[in-house]
Amino acid sequence: MRNVTRYVQRLLRQRRPGRFVPTDEEAGMLAAAIALRSARPEDGMPRAEFLTQLRGQLAEQAARAGEDERSPVPRRPRRLVLVGTAAAAVAG
């Protein structure tokens, strides 16, 4: 039981627990402790550093995409759009 207590305390302090060979009962207690530790709401959220880095990468990609899109968007004649829409309506 002392091994389990030490193991759980180290988990709660976000430290790497020491190794030991648990009994079946201790293994069940450890599994419960691990499940409870991972169920904390803040553990499902990404770290602030990760979000900052991701925002920077996305901004950089958006800036590069804006530079690459110098060609105008191809325009379709209004008549072609109307004919296509009418054909789709008739087919439906």
mmCIF file of all heavy atoms in Angstrom, residues 25-77:
data_model
loop_
_atom_site.group_PDB
_atom_site.id
_atom_site.type_symbol
_atom_site.label_atom_id
_atom_site.label_comp_id
_atom_site.label_asym_id
_atom_site.label_seq_id
_atom_site.Cartn_x
_atom_site.Cartn_y
_atom_site.Cartn_z
ATOM 1 N N GLU A 25 -4.613 -6.008 -6.511
ATOM 2 C CA GLU A 25 -5.369 -4.951 -5.833
ATOM 3 C C GLU A 25 -4.702 -3.593 -6.046
ATOM 4 O O GLU A 25 -5.372 -2.596 -6.324
ATOM 5 C CB GLU A 25 -5.476 -5.257 -4.338
ATOM 6 C CG GLU A 25 -6.315 -4.247 -3.583
ATOM 7 C CD GLU A 25 -6.400 -4.563 -2.097
ATOM 8 O OE1 GLU A 25 -5.939 -5.633 -1.673
ATOM 9 O OE2 GLU A 25 -6.918 -3.713 -1.374
ATOM 10 N N GLU A 26 -3.376 -3.549 -5.919
ATOM 11 C CA GLU A 26 -2.658 -2.303 -6.134
ATOM 12 C C GLU A 26 -2.786 -1.835 -7.583
ATOM 13 O O GLU A 26 -2.927 -0.643 -7.848
ATOM 14 C CB GLU A 26 -1.183 -2.475 -5.770
ATOM 15 C CG GLU A 26 -0.933 -2.616 -4.284
ATOM 16 C CD GLU A 26 0.507 -2.963 -3.982
ATOM 17 O OE1 GLU A 26 1.191 -3.575 -4.839
ATOM 18 O OE2 GLU A 26 0.961 -2.610 -2.885
ATOM 19 N N ALA A 27 -2.769 -2.772 -8.510
ATOM 20 C CA ALA A 27 -2.923 -2.422 -9.924
ATOM 21 C C ALA A 27 -4.285 -1.779 -10.176
ATOM 22 O O ALA A 27 -4.402 -0.811 -10.940
ATOM 23 C CB ALA A 27 -2.740 -3.650 -10.805
ATOM 24 N N GLY A 28 -5.317 -2.290 -9.531
ATOM 25 C CA GLY A 28 -6.645 -1.686 -9.659
ATOM 26 C C GLY A 28 -6.680 -0.276 -9.094
ATOM 27 O O GLY A 28 -7.288 0.626 -9.677
ATOM 28 N N MET A 29 -6.025 -0.082 -7.947
ATOM 29 C CA MET A 29 -5.966 1.254 -7.350
ATOM 30 C C MET A 29 -5.200 2.221 -8.246
ATOM 31 O O MET A 29 -5.587 3.374 -8.415
ATOM 32 C CB MET A 29 -5.321 1.192 -5.970
ATOM 33 C CG MET A 29 -6.208 0.592 -4.900
ATOM 34 S SD MET A 29 -5.489 0.788 -3.264
ATOM 35 C CE MET A 29 -4.560 -0.736 -3.126
ATOM 36 N N LEU A 30 -4.111 1.742 -8.822
ATOM 37 C CA LEU A 30 -3.326 2.594 -9.710
ATOM 38 C C LEU A 30 -4.111 2.970 -10.959
ATOM 39 O O LEU A 30 -4.057 4.112 -11.419
ATOM 40 C CB LEU A 30 -2.019 1.898 -10.084
ATOM 41 C CG LEU A 30 -1.034 1.705 -8.954
ATOM 42 C CD1 LEU A 30 0.150 0.856 -9.402
ATOM 43 C CD2 LEU A 30 -0.569 3.042 -8.423
ATOM 44 N N ALA A 31 -4.833 2.013 -11.511
ATOM 45 C CA ALA A 31 -5.658 2.300 -12.690
ATOM 46 C C ALA A 31 -6.702 3.357 -12.369
ATOM 47 O O ALA A 31 -6.947 4.271 -13.165
ATOM 48 C CB ALA A 31 -6.312 1.021 -13.202
ATOM 49 N N ALA A 32 -7.317 3.264 -11.192
ATOM 50 C CA ALA A 32 -8.305 4.263 -10.777
ATOM 51 C C ALA A 32 -7.651 5.627 -10.607
ATOM 52 O O ALA A 32 -8.204 6.651 -11.015
ATOM 53 C CB ALA A 32 -8.986 3.819 -9.492
ATOM 54 N N ALA A 33 -6.466 5.674 -10.004
ATOM 55 C CA ALA A 33 -5.759 6.942 -9.806
ATOM 56 C C ALA A 33 -5.397 7.577 -11.141
ATOM 57 O O ALA A 33 -5.554 8.794 -11.324
ATOM 58 C CB ALA A 33 -4.500 6.713 -8.967
ATOM 59 N N ILE A 34 -4.960 6.768 -12.072
ATOM 60 C CA ILE A 34 -4.596 7.289 -13.401
ATOM 61 C C ILE A 34 -5.837 7.835 -14.104
ATOM 62 O O ILE A 34 -5.810 8.913 -14.700
ATOM 63 C CB ILE A 34 -3.901 6.203 -14.233
ATOM 64 C CG1 ILE A 34 -2.527 5.891 -13.634
ATOM 65 C CG2 ILE A 34 -3.775 6.630 -15.686
ATOM 66 C CD1 ILE A 34 -1.877 4.640 -14.190
ATOM 67 N N ALA A 35 -6.942 7.104 -14.028
ATOM 68 C CA ALA A 35 -8.183 7.556 -14.667
ATOM 69 C C ALA A 35 -8.671 8.862 -14.036
ATOM 70 O O ALA A 35 -9.095 9.781 -14.741
ATOM 71 C CB ALA A 35 -9.256 6.479 -14.552
ATOM 72 N N LEU A 36 -8.595 8.967 -12.722
ATOM 73 C CA LEU A 36 -9.024 10.197 -12.053
ATOM 74 C C LEU A 36 -8.122 11.371 -12.410
ATOM 75 O O LEU A 36 -8.584 12.491 -12.618
ATOM 76 C CB LEU A 36 -9.053 9.995 -10.535
ATOM 77 C CG LEU A 36 -10.170 9.086 -10.022
ATOM 78 C CD1 LEU A 36 -9.975 8.803 -8.539
ATOM 79 C CD2 LEU A 36 -11.534 9.724 -10.268
ATOM 80 N N ARG A 37 -6.847 11.125 -12.490
ATOM 81 C CA ARG A 37 -5.899 12.193 -12.838
ATOM 82 C C ARG A 37 -6.140 12.700 -14.246
ATOM 83 O O ARG A 37 -6.089 13.887 -14.515
ATOM 84 C CB ARG A 37 -4.473 11.669 -12.695
ATOM 85 C CG ARG A 37 -3.405 12.633 -13.160
ATOM 86 C CD ARG A 37 -3.318 13.818 -12.213
ATOM 87 N NE ARG A 37 -2.231 14.673 -12.582
ATOM 88 C CZ ARG A 37 -2.393 15.874 -13.138
ATOM 89 N NH1 ARG A 37 -3.576 16.340 -13.373
ATOM 90 N NH2 ARG A 37 -1.356 16.613 -13.443
ATOM 91 N N SER A 38 -6.434 11.815 -15.172
ATOM 92 C CA SER A 38 -6.623 12.232 -16.558
ATOM 93 C C SER A 38 -8.001 12.820 -16.805
ATOM 94 O O SER A 38 -8.251 13.385 -17.863
ATOM 95 C CB SER A 38 -6.375 11.054 -17.504
ATOM 96 O OG SER A 38 -7.361 10.068 -17.301
ATOM 97 N N ALA A 39 -8.896 12.712 -15.841
ATOM 98 C CA ALA A 39 -10.259 13.224 -16.014
ATOM 99 C C ALA A 39 -10.394 14.682 -15.597
ATOM 100 O O ALA A 39 -11.475 15.244 -15.722
ATOM 101 C CB ALA A 39 -11.232 12.361 -15.212
ATOM 102 N N ARG A 40 -9.342 15.311 -15.134
ATOM 103 C CA ARG A 40 -9.428 16.712 -14.728
ATOM 104 C C ARG A 40 -9.704 17.577 -15.942
ATOM 105 O O ARG A 40 -9.075 17.403 -16.993
ATOM 106 C CB ARG A 40 -8.139 17.138 -14.050
ATOM 107 C CG ARG A 40 -7.982 16.455 -12.693
ATOM 108 C CD ARG A 40 -6.670 16.677 -12.038
ATOM 109 N NE ARG A 40 -6.243 18.065 -12.041
ATOM 110 C CZ ARG A 40 -5.061 18.448 -11.608
ATOM 111 N NH1 ARG A 40 -4.203 17.557 -11.151
ATOM 112 N NH2 ARG A 40 -4.716 19.707 -11.633
ATOM 113 N N PRO A 41 -10.648 18.522 -15.856
ATOM 114 C CA PRO A 41 -11.039 19.327 -17.022
ATOM 115 C C PRO A 41 -9.881 20.079 -17.671
ATOM 116 O O PRO A 41 -9.790 20.133 -18.892
ATOM 117 C CB PRO A 41 -12.062 20.315 -16.460
ATOM 118 C CG PRO A 41 -12.550 19.705 -15.206
ATOM 119 C CD PRO A 41 -11.430 18.851 -14.675
ATOM 120 N N GLU A 42 -8.983 20.640 -16.884
ATOM 121 C CA GLU A 42 -7.898 21.420 -17.471
ATOM 122 C C GLU A 42 -6.899 20.552 -18.230
ATOM 123 O O GLU A 42 -6.136 21.053 -19.048
ATOM 124 C CB GLU A 42 -7.177 22.254 -16.408
ATOM 125 C CG GLU A 42 -6.478 21.442 -15.339
ATOM 126 C CD GLU A 42 -7.351 21.114 -14.138
ATOM 127 O OE1 GLU A 42 -8.565 21.332 -14.175
ATOM 128 O OE2 GLU A 42 -6.800 20.607 -13.153
ATOM 129 N N ASP A 43 -6.895 19.250 -17.985
ATOM 130 C CA ASP A 43 -5.967 18.381 -18.693
ATOM 131 C C ASP A 43 -6.379 18.175 -20.145
ATOM 132 O O ASP A 43 -5.568 17.752 -20.964
ATOM 133 C CB ASP A 43 -5.845 17.030 -17.986
ATOM 134 C CG ASP A 43 -5.078 17.141 -16.676
ATOM 135 O OD1 ASP A 43 -4.357 18.151 -16.499
ATOM 136 O OD2 ASP A 43 -5.199 16.240 -15.846
ATOM 137 N N GLY A 44 -7.616 18.460 -20.487
ATOM 138 C CA GLY A 44 -8.070 18.323 -21.867
ATOM 139 C C GLY A 44 -7.786 19.548 -22.713
ATOM 140 O O GLY A 44 -7.969 19.533 -23.916
ATOM 141 N N MET A 45 -7.318 20.617 -22.090
ATOM 142 C CA MET A 45 -7.055 21.866 -22.796
ATOM 143 C C MET A 45 -5.601 21.916 -23.255
ATOM 144 O O MET A 45 -4.705 21.479 -22.535
ATOM 145 C CB MET A 45 -7.337 23.059 -21.878
ATOM 146 C CG MET A 45 -8.772 23.111 -21.375
ATOM 147 S SD MET A 45 -9.973 23.313 -22.704
ATOM 148 C CE MET A 45 -9.546 24.924 -23.291
ATOM 149 N N PRO A 46 -5.346 22.484 -24.440
ATOM 150 C CA PRO A 46 -3.955 22.611 -24.889
ATOM 151 C C PRO A 46 -3.216 23.669 -24.069
ATOM 152 O O PRO A 46 -3.815 24.599 -23.534
ATOM 153 C CB PRO A 46 -4.094 23.044 -26.341
ATOM 154 C CG PRO A 46 -5.457 23.596 -26.473
ATOM 155 C CD PRO A 46 -6.304 22.950 -25.426
ATOM 156 N N ARG A 47 -1.910 23.519 -23.978
ATOM 157 C CA ARG A 47 -1.084 24.470 -23.234
ATOM 158 C C ARG A 47 -1.059 25.820 -23.950
ATOM 159 O O ARG A 47 -1.177 25.904 -25.171
ATOM 160 C CB ARG A 47 0.335 23.946 -23.115
ATOM 161 C CG ARG A 47 0.453 22.720 -22.234
ATOM 162 C CD ARG A 47 1.923 22.314 -22.013
ATOM 163 N NE ARG A 47 2.843 22.731 -23.051
ATOM 164 C CZ ARG A 47 3.268 21.942 -24.035
ATOM 165 N NH1 ARG A 47 2.863 20.702 -24.131
ATOM 166 N NH2 ARG A 47 4.119 22.398 -24.934
ATOM 167 N N ALA A 48 -0.874 26.885 -23.201
ATOM 168 C CA ALA A 48 -0.841 28.242 -23.758
ATOM 169 C C ALA A 48 0.302 28.387 -24.768
ATOM 170 O O ALA A 48 0.145 29.050 -25.804
ATOM 171 C CB ALA A 48 -0.693 29.267 -22.641
ATOM 172 N N GLU A 49 1.445 27.759 -24.489
ATOM 173 C CA GLU A 49 2.588 27.835 -25.414
ATOM 174 C C GLU A 49 2.234 27.222 -26.761
ATOM 175 O O GLU A 49 2.609 27.730 -27.811
ATOM 176 C CB GLU A 49 3.815 27.114 -24.830
ATOM 177 C CG GLU A 49 4.315 27.682 -23.527
ATOM 178 C CD GLU A 49 3.590 27.103 -22.310
ATOM 179 O OE1 GLU A 49 2.968 26.023 -22.416
ATOM 180 O OE2 GLU A 49 3.638 27.755 -21.264
ATOM 181 N N PHE A 50 1.515 26.092 -26.728
ATOM 182 C CA PHE A 50 1.116 25.440 -27.959
ATOM 183 C C PHE A 50 0.193 26.348 -28.767
ATOM 184 O O PHE A 50 0.346 26.497 -29.981
ATOM 185 C CB PHE A 50 0.415 24.103 -27.663
ATOM 186 C CG PHE A 50 -0.220 23.488 -28.872
ATOM 187 C CD1 PHE A 50 0.545 22.822 -29.813
ATOM 188 C CD2 PHE A 50 -1.591 23.578 -29.080
ATOM 189 C CE1 PHE A 50 -0.030 22.257 -30.940
ATOM 190 C CE2 PHE A 50 -2.177 23.023 -30.196
ATOM 191 C CZ PHE A 50 -1.396 22.366 -31.127
ATOM 192 N N LEU A 51 -0.777 26.977 -28.096
ATOM 193 C CA LEU A 51 -1.716 27.857 -28.793
ATOM 194 C C LEU A 51 -1.010 29.059 -29.404
ATOM 195 O O LEU A 51 -1.316 29.459 -30.536
ATOM 196 C CB LEU A 51 -2.817 28.313 -27.834
ATOM 197 C CG LEU A 51 -3.767 27.216 -27.365
ATOM 198 C CD1 LEU A 51 -4.743 27.772 -26.339
ATOM 199 C CD2 LEU A 51 -4.513 26.606 -28.536
ATOM 200 N N THR A 52 -0.061 29.630 -28.687
ATOM 201 C CA THR A 52 0.698 30.769 -29.216
ATOM 202 C C THR A 52 1.470 30.369 -30.461
ATOM 203 O O THR A 52 1.467 31.083 -31.475
ATOM 204 C CB THR A 52 1.661 31.302 -28.138
ATOM 205 O OG1 THR A 52 0.889 31.676 -26.990
ATOM 206 C CG2 THR A 52 2.452 32.491 -28.634
ATOM 207 N N GLN A 53 2.125 29.223 -30.405
ATOM 208 C CA GLN A 53 2.894 28.739 -31.553
ATOM 209 C C GLN A 53 1.969 28.448 -32.734
ATOM 210 O O GLN A 53 2.285 28.799 -33.874
ATOM 211 C CB GLN A 53 3.666 27.482 -31.173
ATOM 212 C CG GLN A 53 4.508 26.932 -32.297
ATOM 213 C CD GLN A 53 5.214 25.634 -31.900
ATOM 214 O OE1 GLN A 53 4.959 25.080 -30.851
ATOM 215 N NE2 GLN A 53 6.092 25.163 -32.758
ATOM 216 N N LEU A 54 0.819 27.834 -32.471
ATOM 217 C CA LEU A 54 -0.130 27.508 -33.539
ATOM 218 C C LEU A 54 -0.656 28.776 -34.195
ATOM 219 O O LEU A 54 -0.757 28.852 -35.428
ATOM 220 C CB LEU A 54 -1.279 26.676 -32.976
ATOM 221 C CG LEU A 54 -2.337 26.230 -33.969
ATOM 222 C CD1 LEU A 54 -1.732 25.358 -35.065
ATOM 223 C CD2 LEU A 54 -3.456 25.484 -33.260
ATOM 224 N N ARG A 55 -0.995 29.786 -33.398
ATOM 225 C CA ARG A 55 -1.471 31.059 -33.967
ATOM 226 C C ARG A 55 -0.423 31.676 -34.884
ATOM 227 O O ARG A 55 -0.735 32.196 -35.953
ATOM 228 C CB ARG A 55 -1.829 32.032 -32.854
ATOM 229 C CG ARG A 55 -3.135 31.733 -32.201
ATOM 230 C CD ARG A 55 -3.522 32.844 -31.213
ATOM 231 N NE ARG A 55 -4.652 32.422 -30.426
ATOM 232 C CZ ARG A 55 -4.628 32.109 -29.150
ATOM 233 N NH1 ARG A 55 -3.489 32.185 -28.476
ATOM 234 N NH2 ARG A 55 -5.709 31.730 -28.518
ATOM 235 N N GLY A 56 0.831 31.629 -34.457
ATOM 236 C CA GLY A 56 1.910 32.166 -35.283
ATOM 237 C C GLY A 56 2.049 31.428 -36.599
ATOM 238 O O GLY A 56 2.201 32.039 -37.663
ATOM 239 N N GLN A 57 1.973 30.111 -36.548
ATOM 240 C CA GLN A 57 2.077 29.313 -37.763
ATOM 241 C C GLN A 57 0.914 29.595 -38.707
ATOM 242 O O GLN A 57 1.099 29.727 -39.922
ATOM 243 C CB GLN A 57 2.117 27.826 -37.426
ATOM 244 C CG GLN A 57 3.399 27.370 -36.787
ATOM 245 C CD GLN A 57 3.344 25.904 -36.369
ATOM 246 O OE1 GLN A 57 2.299 25.270 -36.409
ATOM 247 N NE2 GLN A 57 4.485 25.371 -35.939
ATOM 248 N N LEU A 58 -0.295 29.696 -38.148
ATOM 249 C CA LEU A 58 -1.465 29.972 -38.987
ATOM 250 C C LEU A 58 -1.387 31.363 -39.614
ATOM 251 O O LEU A 58 -1.731 31.545 -40.787
ATOM 252 C CB LEU A 58 -2.749 29.821 -38.172
ATOM 253 C CG LEU A 58 -3.091 28.389 -37.749
ATOM 254 C CD1 LEU A 58 -4.289 28.389 -36.816
ATOM 255 C CD2 LEU A 58 -3.345 27.515 -38.958
ATOM 256 N N ALA A 59 -0.918 32.340 -38.859
ATOM 257 C CA ALA A 59 -0.772 33.690 -39.401
ATOM 258 C C ALA A 59 0.256 33.706 -40.526
ATOM 259 O O ALA A 59 0.058 34.353 -41.563
ATOM 260 C CB ALA A 59 -0.377 34.658 -38.286
ATOM 261 N N GLU A 60 1.346 32.977 -40.324
ATOM 262 C CA GLU A 60 2.388 32.900 -41.361
ATOM 263 C C GLU A 60 1.858 32.236 -42.624
ATOM 264 O O GLU A 60 2.090 32.710 -43.735
ATOM 265 C CB GLU A 60 3.579 32.115 -40.802
ATOM 266 C CG GLU A 60 4.753 32.021 -41.749
ATOM 267 C CD GLU A 60 5.884 31.214 -41.138
ATOM 268 O OE1 GLU A 60 6.215 31.470 -39.961
ATOM 269 O OE2 GLU A 60 6.411 30.334 -41.836
ATOM 270 N N GLN A 61 1.111 31.144 -42.470
ATOM 271 C CA GLN A 61 0.540 30.463 -43.631
ATOM 272 C C GLN A 61 -0.476 31.346 -44.342
ATOM 273 O O GLN A 61 -0.529 31.368 -45.568
ATOM 274 C CB GLN A 61 -0.117 29.153 -43.201
ATOM 275 C CG GLN A 61 0.869 28.082 -42.811
ATOM 276 C CD GLN A 61 0.172 26.823 -42.299
ATOM 277 O OE1 GLN A 61 -1.044 26.735 -42.277
ATOM 278 N NE2 GLN A 61 0.957 25.852 -41.868
ATOM 279 N N ALA A 62 -1.278 32.082 -43.580
ATOM 280 C CA ALA A 62 -2.267 32.972 -44.189
ATOM 281 C C ALA A 62 -1.578 34.088 -44.967
ATOM 282 O O ALA A 62 -2.028 34.467 -46.056
ATOM 283 C CB ALA A 62 -3.184 33.549 -43.117
ATOM 284 N N ALA A 63 -0.478 34.609 -44.421
ATOM 285 C CA ALA A 63 0.265 35.658 -45.116
ATOM 286 C C ALA A 63 0.858 35.120 -46.417
ATOM 287 O O ALA A 63 0.798 35.787 -47.454
ATOM 288 C CB ALA A 63 1.362 36.212 -44.210
ATOM 289 N N ARG A 64 1.410 33.906 -46.364
ATOM 290 C CA ARG A 64 1.973 33.309 -47.586
ATOM 291 C C ARG A 64 0.877 33.026 -48.604
ATOM 292 O O ARG A 64 1.081 33.222 -49.798
ATOM 293 C CB ARG A 64 2.721 32.020 -47.261
ATOM 294 C CG ARG A 64 4.156 32.284 -46.877
ATOM 295 C CD ARG A 64 4.973 31.013 -46.807
ATOM 296 N NE ARG A 64 4.928 30.547 -45.423
ATOM 297 C CZ ARG A 64 4.591 29.319 -45.051
ATOM 298 N NH1 ARG A 64 4.288 28.420 -45.938
ATOM 299 N NH2 ARG A 64 4.565 28.998 -43.788
ATOM 300 N N ALA A 65 -0.269 32.576 -48.154
ATOM 301 C CA ALA A 65 -1.370 32.274 -49.075
ATOM 302 C C ALA A 65 -1.859 33.558 -49.737
ATOM 303 O O ALA A 65 -2.212 33.556 -50.906
ATOM 304 C CB ALA A 65 -2.506 31.593 -48.333
ATOM 305 N N GLY A 66 -1.884 34.658 -48.994
ATOM 306 C CA GLY A 66 -2.302 35.939 -49.553
ATOM 307 C C GLY A 66 -1.344 36.418 -50.624
ATOM 308 O O GLY A 66 -1.746 37.021 -51.613
ATOM 309 N N GLU A 67 -0.067 36.164 -50.453
ATOM 310 C CA GLU A 67 0.930 36.546 -51.450
ATOM 311 C C GLU A 67 0.820 35.687 -52.707
ATOM 312 O O GLU A 67 1.044 36.155 -53.803
ATOM 313 C CB GLU A 67 2.336 36.410 -50.870
ATOM 314 C CG GLU A 67 2.637 37.389 -49.754
ATOM 315 C CD GLU A 67 3.961 37.113 -49.085
ATOM 316 O OE1 GLU A 67 4.658 36.155 -49.497
ATOM 317 O OE2 GLU A 67 4.298 37.833 -48.136
ATOM 318 N N ASP A 68 0.463 34.420 -52.543
ATOM 319 C CA ASP A 68 0.389 33.499 -53.676
ATOM 320 C C ASP A 68 -0.850 33.712 -54.532
ATOM 321 O O ASP A 68 -0.875 33.333 -55.686
ATOM 322 C CB ASP A 68 0.401 32.049 -53.179
ATOM 323 C CG ASP A 68 1.742 31.685 -52.549
ATOM 324 O OD1 ASP A 68 2.716 32.422 -52.772
ATOM 325 O OD2 ASP A 68 1.783 30.669 -51.834
ATOM 326 N N GLU A 69 -1.874 34.329 -53.984
ATOM 327 C CA GLU A 69 -3.136 34.479 -54.702
ATOM 328 C C GLU A 69 -3.224 35.829 -55.403
ATOM 329 O O GLU A 69 -4.182 36.570 -55.246
ATOM 330 C CB GLU A 69 -4.305 34.300 -53.742
ATOM 331 C CG GLU A 69 -4.422 32.897 -53.203
ATOM 332 C CD GLU A 69 -5.598 32.767 -52.248
ATOM 333 O OE1 GLU A 69 -6.373 33.725 -52.110
ATOM 334 O OE2 GLU A 69 -5.728 31.701 -51.650
ATOM 335 N N ARG A 70 -2.264 36.137 -56.223
ATOM 336 C CA ARG A 70 -2.270 37.406 -56.947
ATOM 337 C C ARG A 70 -3.149 37.343 -58.185
ATOM 338 O O ARG A 70 -3.586 38.356 -58.679
ATOM 339 C CB ARG A 70 -0.853 37.790 -57.331
ATOM 340 C CG ARG A 70 -0.031 38.128 -56.103
ATOM 341 C CD ARG A 70 1.279 38.722 -56.474
ATOM 342 N NE ARG A 70 2.016 38.983 -55.243
ATOM 343 C CZ ARG A 70 3.316 38.882 -55.137
ATOM 344 N NH1 ARG A 70 4.040 38.536 -56.162
ATOM 345 N NH2 ARG A 70 3.907 39.132 -53.994
ATOM 346 N N SER A 71 -3.395 36.146 -58.687
ATOM 347 C CA SER A 71 -4.234 36.038 -59.881
ATOM 348 C C SER A 71 -5.692 36.238 -59.484
ATOM 349 O O SER A 71 -6.132 35.764 -58.449
ATOM 350 C CB SER A 71 -4.048 34.673 -60.549
ATOM 351 O OG SER A 71 -4.444 33.663 -59.657
ATOM 352 N N PRO A 72 -6.458 36.952 -60.307
ATOM 353 C CA PRO A 72 -7.854 37.196 -59.956
ATOM 354 C C PRO A 72 -8.680 35.912 -59.999
ATOM 355 O O PRO A 72 -8.342 34.955 -60.692
ATOM 356 C CB PRO A 72 -8.313 38.184 -61.030
ATOM 357 C CG PRO A 72 -7.384 37.981 -62.168
ATOM 358 C CD PRO A 72 -6.075 37.533 -61.575
ATOM 359 N N VAL A 73 -9.752 35.921 -59.255
ATOM 360 C CA VAL A 73 -10.653 34.777 -59.234
ATOM 361 C C VAL A 73 -11.365 34.711 -60.578
ATOM 362 O O VAL A 73 -11.887 35.719 -61.054
ATOM 363 C CB VAL A 73 -11.686 34.943 -58.087
ATOM 364 C CG1 VAL A 73 -12.688 33.804 -58.102
ATOM 365 C CG2 VAL A 73 -10.976 35.038 -56.756
ATOM 366 N N PRO A 74 -11.376 33.539 -61.218
ATOM 367 C CA PRO A 74 -12.042 33.463 -62.520
ATOM 368 C C PRO A 74 -13.541 33.738 -62.374
ATOM 369 O O PRO A 74 -14.200 33.189 -61.507
ATOM 370 C CB PRO A 74 -11.781 32.028 -62.980
ATOM 371 C CG PRO A 74 -11.400 31.286 -61.760
ATOM 372 C CD PRO A 74 -10.831 32.276 -60.791
ATOM 373 N N ARG A 75 -14.048 34.623 -63.213
ATOM 374 C CA ARG A 75 -15.472 34.951 -63.173
ATOM 375 C C ARG A 75 -16.203 34.133 -64.204
ATOM 376 O O ARG A 75 -15.718 33.904 -65.303
ATOM 377 C CB ARG A 75 -15.659 36.442 -63.468
ATOM 378 C CG ARG A 75 -15.021 37.293 -62.372
ATOM 379 C CD ARG A 75 -15.368 38.697 -62.511
ATOM 380 N NE ARG A 75 -16.833 38.779 -62.472
ATOM 381 C CZ ARG A 75 -17.522 39.878 -62.692
ATOM 382 N NH1 ARG A 75 -16.884 40.983 -62.956
ATOM 383 N NH2 ARG A 75 -18.832 39.883 -62.643
ATOM 384 N N ARG A 76 -17.384 33.708 -63.866
ATOM 385 C CA ARG A 76 -18.206 32.938 -64.792
ATOM 386 C C ARG A 76 -19.322 33.840 -65.308
ATOM 387 O O ARG A 76 -19.913 34.582 -64.540
ATOM 388 C CB ARG A 76 -18.787 31.738 -64.082
ATOM 389 C CG ARG A 76 -17.690 30.823 -63.562
ATOM 390 C CD ARG A 76 -18.258 29.593 -62.955
ATOM 391 N NE ARG A 76 -17.185 28.899 -62.263
ATOM 392 C CZ ARG A 76 -16.664 27.763 -62.679
ATOM 393 N NH1 ARG A 76 -17.131 27.173 -63.735
ATOM 394 N NH2 ARG A 76 -15.684 27.205 -62.017
ATOM 395 N N PRO A 77 -19.596 33.734 -66.569
ATOM 396 C CA PRO A 77 -20.676 34.548 -67.115
ATOM 397 C C PRO A 77 -22.009 34.204 -66.429
ATOM 398 O O PRO A 77 -22.263 33.058 -66.063
ATOM 399 C CB PRO A 77 -20.724 34.174 -68.593
ATOM 400 C CG PRO A 77 -19.452 33.466 -68.871
ATOM 401 C CD PRO A 77 -18.942 32.941 -67.579
#
